[in-house]
Each structure stands twice: as structure tokens, then as C-alpha cells.
Amino acid sequence: KLFLKETIKPQHSNNIMFTIVPVLGFSLALMFWGMMSSKYISYYLLFSLLLFFCMTSLNVYVILLSGWASNSMYAFLGALRASAQTISYEISMIVILLFPAFLQWTFSWDNMFKGYGVMILMIPVGVAWMIS
């Protein structure tokens, strides 16, 4: 339904970037599904946690480019604010998610979820994430 509606573009915007950046953001969100383990998967990601950190940091560029492509100063300042806020939340998320990775000495999601002892510790870590 979203793609079939009439597209509204600002008059002085960068039209190419204005249409490409949301598609890039959506494809970045879809790439997270490739990291989920399944019994039908044909590859094994050894450092999937590090790949998760890299892919979440790319979201900052999507936000920044979406504000820049509209060619409006208010939208660009809002995008700068949103990207700074995203970076600050990513720092606390990385510190919190590295805690169980260092406890199990692995950077793989599959190996990390097999250790149920760390999952018990995720309750106070989740509380720390909500507080920060």
C-alpha cells in the first residue's frame, strides 16, 4: 500500500537521494534477517555480533542522508539531532551486548544463545539498558 500511493517530493529536494535513501534504509533493515540462524541456512557467520554492530551503525548514515536529501535546514538539523541520539544509544547497546560475549568468549549469536547461564544475566543487563 505504501509503494502504490502518490509520492510527495519537496520542490527543492535532491530527488534521486530522496527516493533512494528510504530504500537503502529498508534494505538495511531486511539484512538483519540474514543473521538469524535457521535449520535451512547454508552459511555460518562466525562473527555475527560484530556484523550486527556494523550494520546498526550504518543506520546513522541513513538518518543523516534522509535529512540532507530534503534540502531543508530544519530537516537536516533534525537529522543531525537524531543521528547524534542514535550514536549515543548505540554506545550503551554495544557495551551491554559485549558483556555476555566476553563471558562466553564468542562473537557468534548461535554460540551465545546456547549458553543459558548468560541469559540469566541478561535480565539485569536489560534493566541497565532501559535505564541508560
Side-chain angles (χ1 to χ4, degrees):
K1 181 179 177 182
L2 180 65
F3 294 112
L4 297 177
K5 286 189 164 199
E6 179 184 359
T7 57
I8 298 172
K9 295 179 184 175
Q11 187 176 10
H12 299 290
S13 68
N14 189 350
N15 289 331
I16 297 170
M17 290 295 287
F18 194 77
T19 56
I20 289 177
V21 170
V23 173
L24 290 176
F26 185 66
S27 63
L28 179 67
L30 286 180
M31 283 194 302
F32 283 104
W33 286 96
M35 294 180 0
M36 299 302 294
S37 62
S38 171
K39 65 179 181 178
Y40 302 112
I41 200 163
S42 62
Y43 56 89
Y44 180 74
L45 290 174
L46 186 60
F47 298 112
S48 57
L49 184 68
L50 296 178
L51 179 65
F52 175 76
F53 290 154
C54 293
M55 286 173 52
T56 54
S57 65
L58 288 176
N59 193 23
V60 173
Y61 296 111
V62 171
I63 294 171
L64 194 61
L65 283 175
S66 64
W68 176 76
S70 67
N71 205 14
S72 170
M73 186 56 76
Y74 294 112
F76 183 63
L77 287 175
L80 279 175
R81 179 186 172 276
S83 61
Q85 187 175 6
T86 304
I87 290 170
S88 68
Y89 283 127
E90 281 180 4
I91 291 171
S92 65
M93 181 187 67
I94 287 172
V95 170
I96 288 170
L97 287 179
L98 282 178
F99 175 68
F102 287 150
L103 282 180
Q104 288 188 339
W105 292 92
T106 183
F107 287 115
S108 174
W109 282 118
D110 297 332
N111 295 337
M112 198 177 299
F113 289 140
K114 288 177 186 172
Y116 64 91
V118 174
M119 293 309 288
I120 296 171
L121 293 174
M122 290 306 285
I123 295 170
V125 168
V127 171
W129 189 16
M130 294 303 280
I131 291 172
S132 68

